[in-house]
Amino acid sequence: MSSHSIYQTPHITLQWLLGCVLALLLNGCTASIEDYEQAEPKFDLFQFFEGHSQAWGMVQDYKGQQVRRFSVELNGVITGNQLVLTEDFVFDDKQTQQRVWTIIKQANGHYIGTADDVVGEAVGYEKGNALQWQYVLAMDIDGTTYHIDFEDWMFYQQNDQLFNVAKMKKWGITVGTVTLFFQK
């Protein structure tokens, strides 16, 4: 055996071991809705979206390049534990789209939501100033429908302002990000 391979083996093993430790640490570093339980000001999805609000946003591809901009006019109507939220989008290319959410408030800050282009149900959890949604959206791209996983985070600021960042994933790989700013 040459001296080159003797010294190389521990180095490769150390790199592999460090890579495994790093992967475990990063996996444990993902945000949890529980992390926001004490955050102020407290967010109430129904209170924020009741009535009229508006938003401005952008879509970025997997490289972070902005590929679309849009504005949204929203109107929310509450009946009991149900919010019907109508979103009217206008994109920078003048395309328009409407999504109507029906959101049911569950116990302990949980929500279930549906919309025509949501596959199954959206599931949301609210703690402190944050709300996390997870859902699959059927998106038409160049005449083909793709099912894209959304991990959607909303962060209530103050003065009726809300930030929203949604990661779009396919097969567990981030394919884009949607960022919105809402004003009540």
Side-chain angles (χ1 to χ4, degrees):
M1 188 181 289
S2 73
S3 63
H4 178 72
S5 64
I6 292 172
Y7 293 110
Q8 200 172 22
T9 303
H11 181 71
I12 292 171
T13 303
L14 181 59
Q15 284 180 335
W16 179 81
L17 192 57
L18 288 174
C20 289
V21 169
L22 182 61
L24 288 171
L25 288 174
L26 289 175
N27 190 36
C29 292
T30 57
S32 164
I33 192 66
E34 303 300 328
D35 296 337
Y36 298 97
E37 189 160 7
Q38 302 304 318
E40 296 283 340
K42 299 295 184 197
F43 178 54
D44 182 305
L45 178 73
F46 277 32
Q47 181 180 344
F48 186 86
F49 285 111
E50 181 175 29
H52 179 76
S53 56
Q54 52 191 357
W56 302 266
M58 67 175 175
V59 179
Q60 294 170 279
D61 66 15
Y62 68 96
K63 298 179 289 186
Q65 182 176 351
Q66 180 182 1
V67 294
R68 255 185 140 180
R69 294 182 317 273
F70 58 91
S71 62
V72 190
E73 294 292 325
L74 301 101
N75 189 50
V77 176
I78 297 173
T79 306
N81 69 337
Q82 175 180 286
L83 167 65
V84 175
L85 182 63
T86 303
E87 301 175 322
D88 289 307
F89 293 84
V90 177
F91 292 90
D92 55 343
D93 62 1
K94 306 299 183 218
Q95 180 185 5
T96 61
Q97 180 183 1
Q98 185 178 75
R99 177 175 299 118
V100 179
W101 283 97
T102 300
I103 302 169
I104 308 294
K105 186 182 286 192
Q106 308 288 303
N108 301 320
H110 292 121
Y111 296 91
I112 301 293
T114 58
D116 284 345
D117 55 353
V118 171
V119 179
E121 294 179 330
V123 178
Y125 302 96
E126 182 180 80
K127 294 277 184 183
N129 75 326
L131 176 92
Q132 180 194 27
W133 278 111
Q134 291 189 346
Y135 55 94
V136 176
L137 194 65
M139 297 179 67
D140 182 276
I141 301 171
D142 297 327
T144 302
T145 300
Y146 296 92
H147 289 183
I148 305 295
D149 298 322
F150 273 70
E151 182 182 345
D152 208 335
W153 284 87
M154 294 180 170
F155 299 98
Y156 184 66
Q157 301 304 295
Q158 55 190 0
N159 302 323
D160 290 328
Q161 297 171 339
L162 181 70
F163 288 110
N164 185 184
V165 178
K167 291 191 186 229
M168 300 183 298
K169 295 183 178 187
K170 185 71 177 168
W171 302 299
I173 299 169
T174 300
V175 295
T177 304
V178 179
T179 305
L180 290 116
F181 172 76
F182 292 89
Q183 179 71 52
K184 182 76 174 158

